[in-house]
Short mmCIF file of all heavy atoms in Angstrom, two decimals:
data_model
loop_
_atom_site.label_atom_id
_atom_site.label_comp_id
_atom_site.label_asym_id
_atom_site.label_seq_id
_atom_site.Cartn_x
_atom_site.Cartn_y
_atom_site.Cartn_z
N MET A 23 -18.21 -4.62 -9.75
CA MET A 23 -19.18 -4.08 -8.75
C MET A 23 -18.40 -3.38 -7.64
O MET A 23 -17.47 -3.88 -7.09
CB MET A 23 -19.98 -5.28 -8.23
CG MET A 23 -20.97 -4.89 -7.15
SD MET A 23 -21.88 -6.35 -6.61
CE MET A 23 -22.79 -5.62 -5.30
N TYR A 24 -18.89 -2.17 -7.30
CA TYR A 24 -18.26 -1.41 -6.26
C TYR A 24 -18.81 -1.77 -4.88
O TYR A 24 -20.04 -1.92 -4.70
CB TYR A 24 -18.46 0.12 -6.46
CG TYR A 24 -17.60 0.62 -7.59
CD1 TYR A 24 -18.11 0.81 -8.87
CD2 TYR A 24 -16.24 0.94 -7.39
CE1 TYR A 24 -17.32 1.25 -9.94
CE2 TYR A 24 -15.48 1.42 -8.40
CZ TYR A 24 -16.00 1.58 -9.67
OH TYR A 24 -15.20 2.03 -10.69
N VAL A 25 -17.92 -1.90 -3.93
CA VAL A 25 -18.35 -2.08 -2.54
C VAL A 25 -18.33 -0.69 -1.86
O VAL A 25 -19.26 -0.37 -1.15
CB VAL A 25 -17.39 -3.03 -1.78
CG1 VAL A 25 -17.70 -3.07 -0.31
CG2 VAL A 25 -17.44 -4.36 -2.40
N CYS A 26 -17.30 0.07 -2.16
CA CYS A 26 -17.16 1.40 -1.58
C CYS A 26 -17.19 2.45 -2.72
O CYS A 26 -16.19 2.61 -3.41
CB CYS A 26 -15.87 1.47 -0.77
SG CYS A 26 -15.52 3.12 -0.12
N ASN A 27 -18.29 3.14 -2.84
CA ASN A 27 -18.39 4.13 -3.92
C ASN A 27 -17.53 5.35 -3.61
O ASN A 27 -17.00 5.97 -4.55
CB ASN A 27 -19.87 4.55 -4.09
CG ASN A 27 -20.67 3.45 -4.73
OD1 ASN A 27 -20.20 2.74 -5.64
ND2 ASN A 27 -21.89 3.23 -4.27
N CYS A 28 -17.40 5.74 -2.36
CA CYS A 28 -16.64 6.95 -2.01
C CYS A 28 -15.19 6.80 -2.47
O CYS A 28 -14.61 7.77 -2.91
CB CYS A 28 -16.65 7.17 -0.53
SG CYS A 28 -18.30 7.62 0.12
N ASN A 29 -14.60 5.59 -2.30
CA ASN A 29 -13.21 5.39 -2.64
C ASN A 29 -12.99 4.61 -3.88
O ASN A 29 -11.87 4.27 -4.24
CB ASN A 29 -12.52 4.73 -1.45
CG ASN A 29 -12.41 5.65 -0.26
OD1 ASN A 29 -11.83 6.72 -0.33
ND2 ASN A 29 -13.02 5.26 0.84
N GLY A 30 -14.07 4.20 -4.59
CA GLY A 30 -13.95 3.42 -5.78
C GLY A 30 -13.35 2.02 -5.58
O GLY A 30 -12.63 1.52 -6.40
N LEU A 31 -13.66 1.40 -4.42
CA LEU A 31 -13.15 0.08 -4.14
C LEU A 31 -14.14 -0.95 -4.68
O LEU A 31 -15.31 -0.98 -4.31
CB LEU A 31 -12.97 -0.14 -2.64
CG LEU A 31 -11.97 0.82 -1.91
CD1 LEU A 31 -11.92 0.41 -0.45
CD2 LEU A 31 -10.62 0.72 -2.56
N ARG A 32 -13.63 -1.81 -5.52
CA ARG A 32 -14.40 -2.91 -6.07
C ARG A 32 -14.35 -4.10 -5.16
O ARG A 32 -13.48 -4.19 -4.28
CB ARG A 32 -13.92 -3.28 -7.47
CG ARG A 32 -14.06 -2.15 -8.45
CD ARG A 32 -13.40 -2.57 -9.76
NE ARG A 32 -13.38 -1.44 -10.69
CZ ARG A 32 -14.34 -1.21 -11.58
NH1 ARG A 32 -15.37 -1.98 -11.65
NH2 ARG A 32 -14.29 -0.16 -12.37
N LYS A 33 -15.24 -5.05 -5.40
CA LYS A 33 -15.29 -6.26 -4.62
C LYS A 33 -13.92 -6.93 -4.61
O LYS A 33 -13.45 -7.46 -3.61
CB LYS A 33 -16.38 -7.20 -5.16
CG LYS A 33 -16.83 -8.18 -4.16
CD LYS A 33 -18.21 -8.71 -4.51
CE LYS A 33 -18.70 -9.52 -3.32
NZ LYS A 33 -20.17 -9.56 -3.20
N ARG A 34 -13.24 -7.00 -5.76
CA ARG A 34 -11.93 -7.62 -5.85
C ARG A 34 -10.92 -6.89 -5.00
O ARG A 34 -9.98 -7.56 -4.50
CB ARG A 34 -11.51 -7.80 -7.27
CG ARG A 34 -11.22 -6.50 -8.01
CD ARG A 34 -10.59 -6.76 -9.36
NE ARG A 34 -10.40 -5.50 -10.06
CZ ARG A 34 -11.05 -5.10 -11.10
NH1 ARG A 34 -12.00 -5.85 -11.58
NH2 ARG A 34 -10.81 -3.95 -11.65
N ASP A 35 -11.00 -5.59 -4.84
CA ASP A 35 -10.06 -4.84 -4.03
C ASP A 35 -10.23 -5.23 -2.59
O ASP A 35 -9.25 -5.40 -1.83
CB ASP A 35 -10.23 -3.31 -4.20
CG ASP A 35 -10.07 -2.81 -5.59
OD1 ASP A 35 -9.16 -3.27 -6.24
OD2 ASP A 35 -10.92 -2.00 -6.04
N VAL A 36 -11.49 -5.38 -2.15
CA VAL A 36 -11.79 -5.71 -0.74
C VAL A 36 -11.31 -7.17 -0.53
O VAL A 36 -10.70 -7.48 0.48
CB VAL A 36 -13.27 -5.57 -0.48
CG1 VAL A 36 -13.63 -6.05 0.92
CG2 VAL A 36 -13.70 -4.08 -0.63
N ALA A 37 -11.68 -8.08 -1.45
CA ALA A 37 -11.30 -9.48 -1.32
C ALA A 37 -9.79 -9.63 -1.25
O ALA A 37 -9.25 -10.40 -0.44
CB ALA A 37 -11.85 -10.31 -2.44
N SER A 38 -9.09 -8.85 -2.04
CA SER A 38 -7.63 -8.92 -2.05
C SER A 38 -7.06 -8.46 -0.70
O SER A 38 -6.11 -9.08 -0.18
CB SER A 38 -7.09 -8.04 -3.21
OG SER A 38 -5.73 -7.99 -3.15
N ALA A 39 -7.61 -7.42 -0.17
CA ALA A 39 -7.16 -6.92 1.17
C ALA A 39 -7.41 -7.97 2.24
O ALA A 39 -6.58 -8.19 3.16
CB ALA A 39 -7.89 -5.62 1.53
N ILE A 40 -8.55 -8.64 2.18
CA ILE A 40 -8.90 -9.69 3.17
C ILE A 40 -7.93 -10.84 2.99
O ILE A 40 -7.39 -11.37 4.00
CB ILE A 40 -10.35 -10.14 2.99
CG1 ILE A 40 -11.29 -9.01 3.41
CG2 ILE A 40 -10.63 -11.37 3.87
CD1 ILE A 40 -12.75 -9.28 3.01
N GLU A 41 -7.64 -11.27 1.78
CA GLU A 41 -6.70 -12.34 1.54
C GLU A 41 -5.30 -11.99 2.07
O GLU A 41 -4.52 -12.86 2.48
CB GLU A 41 -6.60 -12.65 0.06
CG GLU A 41 -7.84 -13.42 -0.45
CD GLU A 41 -7.80 -13.57 -1.96
OE1 GLU A 41 -6.73 -13.43 -2.60
OE2 GLU A 41 -8.88 -13.87 -2.53
N ALA A 42 -4.98 -10.67 2.04
CA ALA A 42 -3.67 -10.21 2.50
C ALA A 42 -3.63 -10.03 4.00
O ALA A 42 -2.60 -9.62 4.56
CB ALA A 42 -3.33 -8.92 1.80
N GLY A 43 -4.74 -10.33 4.69
CA GLY A 43 -4.71 -10.28 6.13
C GLY A 43 -5.60 -9.27 6.85
O GLY A 43 -5.59 -9.15 8.07
N ALA A 44 -6.39 -8.47 6.05
CA ALA A 44 -7.31 -7.52 6.72
C ALA A 44 -8.32 -8.22 7.51
O ALA A 44 -9.00 -9.18 7.07
CB ALA A 44 -7.97 -6.64 5.64
N VAL A 45 -8.50 -7.84 8.79
CA VAL A 45 -9.47 -8.48 9.68
C VAL A 45 -10.56 -7.53 10.11
O VAL A 45 -11.48 -7.89 10.87
CB VAL A 45 -8.78 -9.09 10.92
CG1 VAL A 45 -7.87 -10.25 10.51
CG2 VAL A 45 -8.04 -8.04 11.69
N ARG A 46 -10.51 -6.27 9.66
CA ARG A 46 -11.58 -5.30 9.96
C ARG A 46 -11.59 -4.28 8.83
O ARG A 46 -10.58 -4.10 8.06
CB ARG A 46 -11.34 -4.64 11.31
CG ARG A 46 -9.99 -4.01 11.43
CD ARG A 46 -9.68 -3.60 12.80
NE ARG A 46 -8.26 -3.15 12.82
CZ ARG A 46 -7.73 -2.56 13.82
NH1 ARG A 46 -8.39 -2.30 14.90
NH2 ARG A 46 -6.49 -2.15 13.74
N PRO A 47 -12.74 -3.60 8.68
CA PRO A 47 -12.84 -2.62 7.56
C PRO A 47 -11.69 -1.58 7.56
O PRO A 47 -11.23 -1.25 6.44
CB PRO A 47 -14.19 -1.95 7.84
CG PRO A 47 -14.97 -3.04 8.44
CD PRO A 47 -14.04 -3.76 9.34
N ARG A 48 -11.25 -1.13 8.69
CA ARG A 48 -10.16 -0.16 8.73
C ARG A 48 -8.94 -0.72 7.98
O ARG A 48 -8.23 0.03 7.27
CB ARG A 48 -9.79 0.17 10.18
CG ARG A 48 -8.74 1.19 10.32
CD ARG A 48 -8.44 1.48 11.80
NE ARG A 48 -7.52 2.57 11.91
CZ ARG A 48 -6.14 2.38 11.80
NH1 ARG A 48 -5.65 1.21 11.54
NH2 ARG A 48 -5.38 3.45 11.93
N ASP A 49 -8.63 -2.00 8.20
CA ASP A 49 -7.46 -2.59 7.53
C ASP A 49 -7.64 -2.56 6.00
O ASP A 49 -6.68 -2.39 5.27
CB ASP A 49 -7.29 -4.06 7.95
CG ASP A 49 -7.10 -4.23 9.44
OD1 ASP A 49 -6.56 -3.29 10.06
OD2 ASP A 49 -7.43 -5.28 9.98
N ILE A 50 -8.87 -2.75 5.55
CA ILE A 50 -9.15 -2.72 4.12
C ILE A 50 -8.90 -1.34 3.54
O ILE A 50 -8.33 -1.23 2.51
CB ILE A 50 -10.62 -3.17 3.86
CG1 ILE A 50 -10.77 -4.65 4.23
CG2 ILE A 50 -11.01 -2.94 2.38
CD1 ILE A 50 -12.21 -5.16 4.26
N PHE A 51 -9.31 -0.33 4.29
CA PHE A 51 -9.09 1.05 3.82
C PHE A 51 -7.57 1.33 3.77
O PHE A 51 -7.06 1.86 2.79
CB PHE A 51 -9.76 2.09 4.70
CG PHE A 51 -11.25 2.09 4.62
CD1 PHE A 51 -12.08 1.80 5.69
CD2 PHE A 51 -11.85 2.39 3.39
CE1 PHE A 51 -13.44 1.84 5.56
CE2 PHE A 51 -13.26 2.44 3.24
CZ PHE A 51 -14.04 2.17 4.35
N VAL A 52 -6.88 0.93 4.82
CA VAL A 52 -5.42 1.16 4.87
C VAL A 52 -4.70 0.47 3.76
O VAL A 52 -3.86 1.08 3.07
CB VAL A 52 -4.85 0.71 6.24
CG1 VAL A 52 -3.34 0.74 6.22
CG2 VAL A 52 -5.40 1.62 7.39
N ARG A 53 -5.06 -0.79 3.49
CA ARG A 53 -4.39 -1.54 2.43
C ARG A 53 -4.69 -0.96 1.07
O ARG A 53 -3.92 -1.16 0.12
CB ARG A 53 -4.80 -2.99 2.48
CG ARG A 53 -4.17 -3.72 3.61
CD ARG A 53 -4.48 -5.20 3.65
NE ARG A 53 -3.95 -5.78 4.83
CZ ARG A 53 -2.73 -6.30 4.91
NH1 ARG A 53 -1.97 -6.31 3.88
NH2 ARG A 53 -2.32 -6.84 6.02
N ASN A 54 -5.79 -0.22 0.94
CA ASN A 54 -6.10 0.42 -0.36
C ASN A 54 -5.78 1.89 -0.32
O ASN A 54 -6.20 2.67 -1.23
CB ASN A 54 -7.60 0.19 -0.69
CG ASN A 54 -7.86 -1.22 -1.16
OD1 ASN A 54 -7.57 -1.56 -2.29
ND2 ASN A 54 -8.39 -2.04 -0.28
N GLN A 55 -5.03 2.30 0.67
CA GLN A 55 -4.54 3.68 0.80
C GLN A 55 -5.67 4.73 0.70
O GLN A 55 -5.59 5.69 -0.04
CB GLN A 55 -3.45 3.94 -0.24
CG GLN A 55 -2.31 3.02 -0.12
CD GLN A 55 -1.29 3.14 -1.20
OE1 GLN A 55 -1.60 3.57 -2.31
NE2 GLN A 55 -0.04 2.85 -0.89
N CYS A 56 -6.70 4.52 1.50
CA CYS A 56 -7.81 5.42 1.59
C CYS A 56 -8.40 5.40 3.00
O CYS A 56 -7.91 4.60 3.85
CB CYS A 56 -8.88 5.13 0.51
SG CYS A 56 -9.59 3.48 0.63
N THR A 57 -9.43 6.20 3.23
CA THR A 57 -10.07 6.20 4.53
C THR A 57 -11.58 6.14 4.37
O THR A 57 -12.08 6.50 3.30
CB THR A 57 -9.70 7.46 5.36
OG1 THR A 57 -10.10 8.57 4.59
CG2 THR A 57 -8.24 7.54 5.62
N ALA A 58 -12.25 5.75 5.46
CA ALA A 58 -13.70 5.76 5.45
C ALA A 58 -14.20 7.16 5.32
O ALA A 58 -13.68 8.08 5.96
CB ALA A 58 -14.25 5.10 6.69
N GLN A 59 -15.24 7.37 4.48
CA GLN A 59 -15.81 8.68 4.42
C GLN A 59 -17.28 8.62 4.91
O GLN A 59 -17.54 9.11 5.97
CB GLN A 59 -15.72 9.16 2.96
CG GLN A 59 -14.21 9.35 2.60
CD GLN A 59 -14.05 9.79 1.15
OE1 GLN A 59 -14.70 10.68 0.70
NE2 GLN A 59 -13.11 9.12 0.44
N CYS A 60 -18.19 8.02 4.15
CA CYS A 60 -19.55 7.93 4.62
C CYS A 60 -19.81 6.64 5.44
O CYS A 60 -20.72 6.58 6.20
CB CYS A 60 -20.54 7.95 3.45
SG CYS A 60 -20.59 6.41 2.53
N ALA A 61 -18.92 5.65 5.27
CA ALA A 61 -18.94 4.41 5.98
C ALA A 61 -20.13 3.49 5.68
O ALA A 61 -20.38 2.51 6.37
CB ALA A 61 -18.81 4.60 7.51
N LYS A 62 -20.83 3.80 4.56
CA LYS A 62 -21.96 2.97 4.20
C LYS A 62 -21.53 1.54 3.78
O LYS A 62 -22.27 0.61 3.78
CB LYS A 62 -22.71 3.56 3.04
CG LYS A 62 -23.62 4.75 3.44
CD LYS A 62 -24.34 5.30 2.23
CE LYS A 62 -25.18 6.49 2.58
NZ LYS A 62 -25.75 7.15 1.42
N CYS A 63 -20.24 1.41 3.39
CA CYS A 63 -19.74 0.16 2.91
C CYS A 63 -19.21 -0.77 4.00
O CYS A 63 -18.90 -1.93 3.73
CB CYS A 63 -18.58 0.44 1.94
SG CYS A 63 -17.30 1.46 2.72
N VAL A 64 -19.16 -0.27 5.20
CA VAL A 64 -18.52 -1.01 6.30
C VAL A 64 -19.26 -2.32 6.58
O VAL A 64 -18.65 -3.37 6.85
CB VAL A 64 -18.41 -0.13 7.54
CG1 VAL A 64 -18.08 -0.98 8.81
CG2 VAL A 64 -17.39 0.94 7.32
N CYS A 65 -20.59 -2.29 6.53
CA CYS A 65 -21.37 -3.54 6.80
C CYS A 65 -21.04 -4.59 5.76
O CYS A 65 -20.86 -5.77 6.09
CB CYS A 65 -22.86 -3.23 6.79
SG CYS A 65 -23.43 -2.40 8.25
N GLU A 66 -20.98 -4.19 4.46
CA GLU A 66 -20.67 -5.19 3.46
C GLU A 66 -19.22 -5.73 3.62
O GLU A 66 -18.96 -6.91 3.42
CB GLU A 66 -20.81 -4.59 2.06
CG GLU A 66 -20.70 -5.66 1.00
CD GLU A 66 -21.07 -5.17 -0.41
OE1 GLU A 66 -21.64 -4.08 -0.54
OE2 GLU A 66 -20.79 -5.95 -1.36
N MET A 67 -18.29 -4.84 3.98
CA MET A 67 -16.93 -5.27 4.28
C MET A 67 -16.89 -6.29 5.40
O MET A 67 -16.23 -7.31 5.32
CB MET A 67 -16.04 -4.07 4.58
CG MET A 67 -15.73 -3.23 3.41
SD MET A 67 -14.69 -1.86 3.94
CE MET A 67 -14.44 -1.00 2.33
N ARG A 68 -17.61 -6.03 6.46
CA ARG A 68 -17.67 -6.92 7.60
C ARG A 68 -18.24 -8.29 7.17
O ARG A 68 -17.78 -9.31 7.61
CB ARG A 68 -18.50 -6.37 8.71
CG ARG A 68 -17.76 -5.28 9.49
CD ARG A 68 -18.52 -4.95 10.80
NE ARG A 68 -17.76 -3.88 11.47
CZ ARG A 68 -18.30 -2.75 11.89
NH1 ARG A 68 -19.57 -2.48 11.63
NH2 ARG A 68 -17.60 -1.83 12.47
N GLU A 69 -19.31 -8.26 6.32
CA GLU A 69 -19.86 -9.50 5.82
C GLU A 69 -18.84 -10.29 5.05
O GLU A 69 -18.74 -11.50 5.17
CB GLU A 69 -21.08 -9.22 4.95
CG GLU A 69 -22.32 -8.77 5.74
CD GLU A 69 -23.44 -8.33 4.86
OE1 GLU A 69 -23.39 -8.58 3.65
OE2 GLU A 69 -24.38 -7.71 5.36
N MET A 70 -18.07 -9.62 4.16
CA MET A 70 -17.05 -10.26 3.39
C MET A 70 -15.96 -10.92 4.28
O MET A 70 -15.48 -12.03 4.01
CB MET A 70 -16.45 -9.33 2.33
CG MET A 70 -17.41 -8.99 1.23
SD MET A 70 -16.73 -7.84 0.00
CE MET A 70 -15.44 -8.90 -0.75
N ILE A 71 -15.57 -10.14 5.33
CA ILE A 71 -14.56 -10.69 6.27
C ILE A 71 -15.12 -11.94 6.96
O ILE A 71 -14.44 -12.96 7.08
CB ILE A 71 -14.18 -9.59 7.29
CG1 ILE A 71 -13.40 -8.48 6.64
CG2 ILE A 71 -13.40 -10.21 8.45
CD1 ILE A 71 -13.27 -7.23 7.44
N GLN A 72 -16.39 -11.86 7.39
CA GLN A 72 -17.06 -13.01 8.09
C GLN A 72 -17.12 -14.21 7.15
O GLN A 72 -16.81 -15.30 7.57
CB GLN A 72 -18.41 -12.56 8.57
CG GLN A 72 -19.08 -13.63 9.46
CD GLN A 72 -18.30 -13.90 10.76
OE1 GLN A 72 -17.66 -13.01 11.28
NE2 GLN A 72 -18.38 -15.13 11.21
N GLU A 73 -17.53 -13.99 5.90
CA GLU A 73 -17.62 -15.07 4.96
C GLU A 73 -16.27 -15.73 4.71
O GLU A 73 -16.14 -16.95 4.61
CB GLU A 73 -18.14 -14.55 3.62
CG GLU A 73 -19.64 -14.26 3.64
CD GLU A 73 -20.13 -13.48 2.40
OE1 GLU A 73 -19.36 -13.31 1.46
OE2 GLU A 73 -21.27 -13.04 2.44
N SER A 74 -15.22 -14.91 4.67
CA SER A 74 -13.89 -15.42 4.44
C SER A 74 -13.45 -16.31 5.65
O SER A 74 -12.86 -17.38 5.49
CB SER A 74 -12.93 -14.23 4.26
OG SER A 74 -11.60 -14.66 4.24
N ARG A 75 -13.77 -15.81 6.85
CA ARG A 75 -13.44 -16.56 8.08
C ARG A 75 -14.16 -17.89 8.05
O ARG A 75 -13.57 -18.93 8.41
CB ARG A 75 -13.83 -15.76 9.32
CG ARG A 75 -12.84 -14.67 9.65
CD ARG A 75 -13.28 -14.03 10.94
NE ARG A 75 -12.42 -12.90 11.22
CZ ARG A 75 -12.75 -11.87 12.00
NH1 ARG A 75 -13.94 -11.82 12.53
NH2 ARG A 75 -11.92 -10.87 12.20
N GLN A 76 -15.42 -17.90 7.70
CA GLN A 76 -16.21 -19.14 7.69
C GLN A 76 -15.69 -20.12 6.67
O GLN A 76 -15.55 -21.30 6.93
CB GLN A 76 -17.69 -18.86 7.40
CG GLN A 76 -18.35 -18.19 8.60
CD GLN A 76 -19.75 -17.72 8.29
OE1 GLN A 76 -20.16 -17.64 7.12
NE2 GLN A 76 -20.50 -17.35 9.33
N ALA A 77 -15.28 -19.58 5.50
CA ALA A 77 -14.70 -20.44 4.49
C ALA A 77 -13.39 -21.02 4.91
O ALA A 77 -13.12 -22.23 4.68
CB ALA A 77 -14.52 -19.65 3.16
N PHE A 78 -12.61 -20.22 5.62
CA PHE A 78 -11.32 -20.71 6.13
C PHE A 78 -11.56 -21.81 7.19
O PHE A 78 -10.85 -22.80 7.20
CB PHE A 78 -10.52 -19.53 6.73
CG PHE A 78 -9.12 -19.92 7.17
CD1 PHE A 78 -8.14 -20.10 6.23
CD2 PHE A 78 -8.90 -20.10 8.50
CE1 PHE A 78 -6.88 -20.48 6.67
CE2 PHE A 78 -7.60 -20.49 8.92
CZ PHE A 78 -6.63 -20.66 8.01
N ALA A 79 -12.53 -21.59 8.07
CA ALA A 79 -12.84 -22.57 9.12
C ALA A 79 -13.32 -23.87 8.53
O ALA A 79 -12.91 -24.94 8.98
CB ALA A 79 -13.89 -22.01 10.09
N LEU A 80 -14.14 -23.79 7.48
CA LEU A 80 -14.61 -25.01 6.82
C LEU A 80 -13.47 -25.73 6.14
O LEU A 80 -13.40 -26.94 6.24
CB LEU A 80 -15.68 -24.66 5.76
CG LEU A 80 -17.08 -24.37 6.30
CD1 LEU A 80 -17.98 -23.93 5.17
CD2 LEU A 80 -17.67 -25.63 6.98
N ALA A 81 -12.57 -25.02 5.56
CA ALA A 81 -11.44 -25.64 4.87
C ALA A 81 -10.52 -26.30 5.88
O ALA A 81 -9.85 -27.30 5.54
CB ALA A 81 -10.70 -24.55 4.07
N ALA A 82 -10.46 -25.74 7.07
CA ALA A 82 -9.57 -26.32 8.12
C ALA A 82 -10.12 -27.57 8.75
O ALA A 82 -9.39 -28.30 9.45
CB ALA A 82 -9.33 -25.25 9.16
N GLU A 83 -11.47 -27.84 8.57
CA GLU A 83 -12.06 -28.99 9.23
C GLU A 83 -11.59 -30.30 8.54
O GLU A 83 -11.31 -30.36 7.41
CB GLU A 83 -13.58 -28.90 9.18
CG GLU A 83 -14.09 -27.90 10.15
CD GLU A 83 -15.67 -27.81 10.09
OE1 GLU A 83 -16.31 -28.57 9.33
OE2 GLU A 83 -16.20 -26.98 10.83
S1 FES B 151 -19.08 4.01 0.47
FE1 FES B 151 -17.25 3.48 1.48
S2 FES B 151 -16.83 5.24 2.68
FE2 FES B 151 -18.58 5.76 1.54
#
């Protein structure tokens, strides 16, 4: 499933960037060697970052 159609970024590409330390959509683009074009995917990227943070916080409790 694609998160970013402009750059062909799949969910696993975004998840991998987040696991590698991306904390904002811009970091995800940089880690995948591309840039935002239409930016329609930014909301979904932010949601994935937020979900990752929440999962990390729960694991730390
Ligand atoms: S869908 Fe990601 S920049 Fe357009």
Side-chain angles (χ1 to χ4, degrees):
M23 178 180 174
Y24 286 98
V25 173
C26 175
N27 288 321
C28 294
N29 292 301
L31 299 181
R32 295 175 187 269
K33 202 157 190 154
R34 67 172 177 251
D35 300 318
V36 175
S38 175
I40 293 169
E41 285 173 17
V45 294
R46 54 190 175 171
R48 183 180 184 279
D49 300 334
I50 293 169
F51 289 119
V52 169
R53 287 182 185 271
N54 284 284
Q55 301 175 332
C56 59
T57 57
Q59 295 178 48
C60 75
K62 285 182 183 171
C63 55
V64 167
C65 286
E66 188 171 351
M67 288 180 178
R68 285 193 180 124
E69 287 173 12
M70 289 179 69
I71 291 166
Q72 188 63 32
E73 286 168 8
S74 173
R75 283 184 184 155
Q76 288 172 347
F78 185 77
L80 282 174
E83 286 180 2

